């Protein structure tokens, strides 16, 4: 619909995914409005209260004179009305016929005129019009759809609300963490952590826990921010963390000592081993391993004795980190020697080996020929004086002997 002119583009019940075209004479920017045709009160397809307006298309046409504007309206497979394209149709003059063709046509016409009787000339077909198509810019404003500015504003609001929800969840989690820590430490300080803190530390820690709990259930603490809850948690943890670390070290220390002792035992067996797989290890290298094992063993038992003299309520001198570092240093010294690869066997000269093999083959060949000659002599028939009618009797040839 444009101004007072309107046309039905798509009938109710028609097929979808169809494009139709309407041509207008317009100049400058104009608007095309798409809407439903008036609904009959008896209609069963749409409710009479349904809004009729669908969308408007704002098309930017050239100015100056009325132009032929072709508007392509599409109803897609979902039944949605869209503007496929808008084009300005500028008529272009048809190309004149070539000069040779014109001359030839004239000559043919003269010949035809001379031969035929005079009569009315046949009408030539009108040349086909040509148009230059120019795509026009347009915007679409849907009545039942948010504009881009409104959509951007809603997206920003959604991001703001999501961020607020995230901050609220993190704040609640930090508040619960503080509350759980206060309840847990309040019981542990008089229970499993009692032996790992002095009396003064226990009193100071207990006072900090009480103050934090009073603040948490006050009006200020009930509705505070994440950063404030974090600061309060760190404030009480500076009392409890050293005490908890002593407990952790006390429980894990024996495992670290056993691991170091196991390494020392392995290296001691290596030094004392007479296995052939260690025959390539020199005495100096074995001495290096022996010294490293002795030094680590002396240090370990010295530190165990020092730790045993300290109460559990003070920071330990023999920690798991120290044990791991000492074991690492010992391994870096002993492992390269213990796992040193054995040297490869000496390489045999291939030329000498082939020559020796050839000599052996020649010796075996000479011995075989001598045995063969001897066997041939033994096989010849023997002469005898005994006769039979003055003739010598020749014995049958012997069976050939098997030779190796």
């Amino acid at each position: 619909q444009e101004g007072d002119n309107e046309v039905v583009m798509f009938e109710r019940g028609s097929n979808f995914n169809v494009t139709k075209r309407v041509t207008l004479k317009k100049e400058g920017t104009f608007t095309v409005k798409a809407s439903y045709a008036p609904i009959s009160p008896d209609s069963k397809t749409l409710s009479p209260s349904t809004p009729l307006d669908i969308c408007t298309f704002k098309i930017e046409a050239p100015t100056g004179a009325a132009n032929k504007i072709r508007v392509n309206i599409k109803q897609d497979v979902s039944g949605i009305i869209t503007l496929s394209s808008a084009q300005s149709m500028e008529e272009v003059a048809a190309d004149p016929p070539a000069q040779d063709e014109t001359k030839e046509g004239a000559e043919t016409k003269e010949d035809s005129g001379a031969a035929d009787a005079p009569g009315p000339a046949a009408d030539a077909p009108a040349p086909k019009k040509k148009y230059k198509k120019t795509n026009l810019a347009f915007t679409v404003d849907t009545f039942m759809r948010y504009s881009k500015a409104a959509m951007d504003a809603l997206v920003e609001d959604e991001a703001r609300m999501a961020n607020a929800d995230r901050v609220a969840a993190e704040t609640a989690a930090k508040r619960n963490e503080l509350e759980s820590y206060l309840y847990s430490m309040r019981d542990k300080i008089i229970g499993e952590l009692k032996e790992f803190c002095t009396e003064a530390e226990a009193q100071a820690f207990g006072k900090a826990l009480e103050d934090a709990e009073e603040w948490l259930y006050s009006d200020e603490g009930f509705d505070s921010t994440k950063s404030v809850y974090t600061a309060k948690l760190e404030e009480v943890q500076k009392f409890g963390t050293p005490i908890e670390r002593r407990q952790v070290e006390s429980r894990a220390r024996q495992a670290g000592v056993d691991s170091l002792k196991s390494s020392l035992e392995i290296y001691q067996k290596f030094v004392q081993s007479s296995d052939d797989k260690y025959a390539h290890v020199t005495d100096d290298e074995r001495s290096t391993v022996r010294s490293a094992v002795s030094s680590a063993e002396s240090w370990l038992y010295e530190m165990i004795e020092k730790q045993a003299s300290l109460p559990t309520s003070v920071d330990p001198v023999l920690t798991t980190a120290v044990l791991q570092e000492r074991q690492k240093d010992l391994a870096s010294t002993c492992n390269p020697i213990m796992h040193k690869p054995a040297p490869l066997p000496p390489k045999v000269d291939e030329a000498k080996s082939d020559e020796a093999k050839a000599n052996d083959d020649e010796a075996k060949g000479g011995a075989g020929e001598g045995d063969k000659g001897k066997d041939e002599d033994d096989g010849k028939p023997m002469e005898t004086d005994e006769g039979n009618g003055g003739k010598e009797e020749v014995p049958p040839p012997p069976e050939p002997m098997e030779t190796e």
Side-chain angles (χ1 to χ4, degrees):
Q1 175 182 332
E2 194 282 322
D4 295 331
N5 300 324
E6 63 181 25
V7 60
V8 176
M9 300 289 292
F10 304 97
E11 297 288 346
R12 287 192 174 92
S14 61
N15 293 330
F16 286 169
N17 200 22
V18 177
T19 301
K20 292 189 177 183
R21 178 183 302 160
V22 62
T23 303
L24 308 170
K25 282 280 189 176
K26 299 298 292 182
E27 65 171 326
T29 302
F30 65 98
T31 301
V32 176
K33 183 178 180 181
S35 61
Y36 293 108
I39 304 173
S40 171
D42 299 332
S43 174
K44 296 181 180 180
T45 56
L46 289 175
S47 172
S49 60
T50 303
L52 299 181
D53 293 336
I54 300 175
C55 61
T56 58
F57 308 115
K58 191 174 183 181
I59 303 173
E60 300 178 7
T63 59
N67 299 282
K68 189 176 181 180
I69 307 300
R70 179 180 290 175
V71 180
N72 298 311
I73 307 295
K74 180 179 180 179
Q75 187 179 34
D76 65 15
V77 70
S78 300
I80 306 300
I81 299 297
T82 59
L83 180 58
S84 178
S85 64
Q87 298 173 330
S88 172
M89 308 294 292
E90 181 181 355
E91 188 173 350
V92 179
D95 296 334
Q99 185 176 359
D100 294 342
E101 293 179 358
T102 306
K103 184 177 179 181
E104 182 181 352
E107 292 176 353
T108 304
K109 187 173 183 181
E110 288 180 2
D111 295 341
S112 176
D116 300 337
D123 294 335
K128 188 176 181 180
K129 294 182 179 181
K130 295 185 178 181
Y131 292 93
K132 177 183 177 182
K133 301 177 183 179
T134 305
N135 290 328
L136 303 178
F138 62 88
T139 56
V140 181
D141 185 12
T142 304
F143 291 101
M144 291 178 287
R145 181 187 299 173
Y146 287 109
S147 64
K148 186 178 185 306
M151 286 294 294
D152 292 343
L154 291 175
V155 169
E156 291 180 1
D157 290 342
E158 183 181 12
R160 255 193 316 271
M161 289 186 289
N163 186 58
D165 291 343
R166 179 184 59 80
V167 172
E170 292 177 356
T171 301
K174 186 59 67 175
R175 186 182 189 279
N176 292 336
E177 185 180 355
L178 173 61
E179 186 177 28
S180 299
Y181 184 80
L182 295 179
Y183 286 158
S184 176
M185 290 297 106
R186 187 179 60 183
D187 296 335
K188 288 183 178 180
I189 197 69
I190 58 176
E192 61 184 85
L193 294 179
K194 183 176 181 180
E195 61 176 305
F196 298 102
C197 61
T198 62
E199 187 65 25
E201 288 175 334
Q203 292 179 358
F205 191 22
K207 181 67 169 57
L209 293 174
E210 291 178 4
D211 294 344
E213 186 176 356
E214 290 179 3
W215 173 86
L216 182 62
Y217 295 115
S218 65
D219 293 339
E220 180 185 0
F222 184 78
D223 188 16
S224 190
T225 61
K226 175 185 174 182
S227 59
V228 175
Y229 289 134
T230 302
K232 284 292 183 181
L233 180 60
E234 292 174 352
E235 184 179 340
V236 291
Q237 280 180 339
K238 70 180 181 180
F239 293 98
T241 300
I243 301 173
E244 289 181 294
R245 188 181 299 115
R246 294 169 192 165
Q247 182 191 40
V248 171
E249 289 292 341
S250 177
R251 292 176 176 178
R253 184 179 301 114
Q254 188 58 46
V257 170
D258 292 341
S259 178
L260 181 55
K261 285 182 176 180
S262 177
S263 297
L264 292 172
E265 184 178 354
I266 291 173
Y267 296 135
Q268 285 175 344
K269 288 182 179 180
F270 162 71
V271 171
Q272 299 170 0
S273 175
S274 59
D275 197 330
D276 291 340
K277 66 179 180 179
Y278 298 129
H280 61 284
V281 180
T282 64
D283 293 340
D284 292 340
E285 290 173 333
R286 289 178 183 269
S287 178
T288 300
V289 175
R290 188 180 294 106
S291 299
V293 169
S294 177
S295 175
E297 189 174 17
S298 301
W299 172 88
L300 176 61
Y301 287 106
E302 180 182 353
M303 295 300 293
I304 290 175
E305 186 177 352
K306 282 185 179 180
Q307 182 60 46
S309 64
L310 297 176
T312 56
S313 58
V314 299
D315 293 336
V317 294
L318 184 59
T319 62
T320 54
V322 172
L323 288 168
Q324 291 173 358
E325 186 65 25
R326 188 70 185 194
Q327 188 171 6
K328 182 179 178 181
D329 293 341
L330 180 64
S332 64
T333 301
C334 300
N335 280 345
I337 299 175
M338 182 176 175
H339 301 291
K340 174 183 175 182
L344 297 174
K347 188 175 181 180
V348 179
D349 190 350
E350 295 181 359
K352 293 183 178 180
S353 177
D354 294 341
E355 184 179 354
K357 184 177 180 181
N359 293 336
D360 293 342
D361 292 342
E362 290 178 359
K364 291 180 180 179
E369 290 178 358
D371 293 340
K372 184 177 179 181
K374 183 178 180 181
D375 293 340
E376 291 178 351
D377 293 339
D378 294 341
K380 291 180 180 180
M382 297 177 63
E383 297 180 357
T384 57
D385 294 337
E386 297 179 358
N388 185 7
K391 297 182 180 179
E392 293 182 356
E393 184 178 355
V394 180
E399 295 180 0
M401 299 177 63
E402 295 181 359
T403 61
E404 295 182 354

